[in-house]
Amino acid sequence: MLVPVAFADGFGTTARVFTFDGLADGREHLALGLGDRSAAPRPGACDRDPTPTRLHSECLTGDVFGSGRCDCGAQLRESVERLDASGGFLLYLRQEGRGIGLYPKLDAYVLQDAGLDTYEANVALGYGEDERDYTVAAQMLGALGVSRVELLSNNPDKAAQLRALGITVARRVPTGVHLSDANAHYLATKVVRGAHTLDLHVQP
């Protein structure tokens, strides 16, 4: 299914949307085929070169409402444009709040306002620092005929999990730094606590 995609700054393109049956967690995840990947994969397709790929965890507050507390919306916008230019897949994963869900994420915001960082807040609510599991991402890539990726991500855990699940991560390409006064502490915390590859000159 082809879907026109547009962003508030005027950038737009067309993506092919792929849906999946039988994923491990039973949720409704999507893949967007962009650029020269906006065509259905051939049956039994096998990739020779790494496919540019972004695993993007759903963030309603950032992706839809433009929240400045994170950089999710900006990363989504950047990734769609880059994958449209190179050809590749964006996997939109229903993993709100690093896997804890929307309402708990909003509860975590309250704790962050009281002084906890984004990881501490998740733990204080009884969750792990990062609850995300990328088994479904590996399943989706397999269904798309993708076994080798060039991973567009600042997060080394995504690459490590994909490799453990049998996906070859030929290289990891960081996204840009979408820094603002509102998200500076959040981004710095991801660098210090999550080893994200962001070139920041601020302290958490």
Side-chain angles (χ1 to χ4, degrees):
M1 176 177 60
L2 294 175
V3 175
V5 177
F7 292 87
D9 63 2
F11 174 75
T13 187
T14 299
R16 184 175 294 273
V17 178
F18 297 89
T19 60
F20 303 86
D21 290 322
L23 295 176
D25 62 5
R27 295 181 180 177
E28 296 176 326
H29 306 279
L30 299 173
L32 303 183
L34 294 155
D36 62 14
R37 296 284 177 165
S38 61
R42 300 182 307 278
C46 182
D47 50 342
R48 296 180 179 178
D49 298 319
T51 299
T53 302
R54 164 77 180 167
L55 310 186
H56 187 87
S57 296
E58 178 182 46
C59 177
L60 180 71
T61 51
D63 296 343
V64 177
F65 299 124
S67 170
R69 297 185 70 126
C70 63
D71 60 340
C72 302
Q75 286 194 80
L76 177 62
R77 162 65 178 82
E78 174 194 353
S79 298
V80 168
E81 183 172 13
R82 290 175 66 172
L83 292 170
D84 188 57
S86 66
F89 291 110
L90 185 140
L91 275 54
Y92 197 82
L93 305 173
R94 312 301 297 275
Q95 299 174 328
E96 187 81 44
R98 291 200 306 279
I100 69 173
L102 178 59
Y103 283 8
K105 183 179 83 169
L106 297 178
D107 291 337
Y109 279 175
V110 175
L111 296 178
Q112 290 169 41
D113 289 341
L116 298 185
D117 68 37
T118 179
Y119 294 96
E120 292 168 343
N122 280 17
V123 172
L125 291 171
Y127 299 100
E129 291 186 350
D130 191 333
E131 295 270 335
R132 290 175 293 182
D133 181 313
Y134 297 104
T135 299
V136 294
Q139 290 179 309
M140 293 162 72
L141 290 170
L144 293 166
V146 175
S147 62
R148 295 167 49 81
V149 300
E150 178 182 276
L151 187 64
L152 185 59
S153 177
N154 301 318
N155 185 354
D157 183 54
K158 290 182 180 180
Q161 286 201 42
L162 285 181
R163 289 184 176 115
L165 291 162
I167 301 295
T168 298
V169 180
R171 53 189 166 273
R172 184 166 56 86
V173 182
T175 62
V177 178
H178 303 284
L179 177 66
S180 70
D181 290 341
N183 68 21
H185 179 73
Y186 167 81
L187 294 184
T189 300
K190 290 207 296 185
V191 171
V192 173
R193 297 285 296 270
H196 286 228
T197 50
L198 289 164
D199 185 14
L200 295 178
H201 301 287
V202 294
Q203 296 296 319

